[in-house]
Amino acid sequence: MKSRTIAITAIAATAVIGLGACSSSSSSPSNSSTPAPSADLNTMNANGVTYKYPKNWSERTDLTTQAQQGNRVWQQAVGPDSVNMSILSEYTINVDVTPENISQLQSEVETTLSNLAKQAGGSTTGQIKAEQTAGYPGFSQTLTVKNPSGQQVESTVWLFFKGKSEYFLNCQYTSAQQTELLAGCNTVRSTFKVTGS
């Protein structure tokens, strides 16, 4: 079934929920509630996409993935430390997802996110929303899960589609860093552009 293939492949990206390094990294992030002014931003330009993120964040390579499914093309992460971070991945899917057919995926996306949150020792904490990112159709939802070291974190996730590419943004944070991470992820989402084909 086409829609099932889309959803399962698309949602496979949520296997990164609950990831984060088990190693520690210290930093003193600020608690800004709004996206930083452009002078206070770094630019990521890799893997055919570009976006901006707060200057006090750095590229994270200390990721541990609990499970992997789907056809992931790449994954990159930025954040203030090894637990609180924005993780962006691209997956390939076998059919075009458009504004016209995106609604057919909502029920299955919701079920799959719920199941994956349970597998990561947590649950969904909000309703799934149809929400565009960078003009692309998609969904968002918030989950509470445990990372590999057993620490409880929240993840606000966005899945958005450009043709046969699915972009998956996992904004993962502890309750103390929620404001900063959501503001930073808002910057990532609002400045995201596909630069490659």
Side-chain angles (χ1 to χ4, degrees), residues 73 90-93 95-97 160-167 194 197:
V73 179
E90 180 185 358
Y91 287 75
T92 58
I93 55 179
V95 293
D96 286 328
V97 178
F160 49 103
F161 304 87
K162 180 181 185 287
K164 293 185 178 181
S165 291
E166 176 224 13
Y167 297 96
V194 176
S197 54

Side-chain angles (χ1 to χ4, degrees), residues 157-192:
V157 298
W158 289 270
L159 297 89
F160 49 103
F161 304 87
K162 180 181 185 287
K164 293 185 178 181
S165 291
E166 176 224 13
Y167 297 96
F168 179 80
L169 177 63
N170 176 7
C171 189
Q172 177 181 286
Y173 48 87
T174 58
S175 58
Q177 297 303 109
Q178 178 177 5
T179 300
E180 178 189 359
L181 263 290
L182 289 177
C185 287
N186 184 46
T187 298
V188 170
R189 291 182 63 233
S190 66
T191 60
F192 177 89

Side-chain angles (χ1 to χ4, degrees), residues 69-121:
Q69 302 176 23
N71 299 314
R72 187 172 71 196
V73 179
W74 51 262
Q75 175 177 278
Q76 55 199 28
V78 292
D81 60 53
S82 62
V83 174
N84 299 282
M85 65 181 88
S86 165
I87 305 147
L88 181 66
S89 306
E90 180 185 358
Y91 287 75
T92 58
I93 55 179
N94 57 10
V95 293
D96 286 328
V97 178
T98 67
E100 292 73 32
N101 68 10
I102 188 79
S103 64
Q104 298 170 15
L105 304 179
Q106 184 164 333
S107 176
E108 188 166 355
V109 168
E110 187 171 23
T111 299
T112 307
L113 281 171
S114 177
N115 290 340
L116 287 169
K118 287 176 188 171
Q119 290 172 20

Side-chain angles (χ1 to χ4, degrees), residues 99 130-139 158 160 189:
E131 186 170 9
Q132 289 189 356
T133 295
Y136 300 120
F139 300 101
W158 289 270
F160 49 103
R189 291 182 63 233

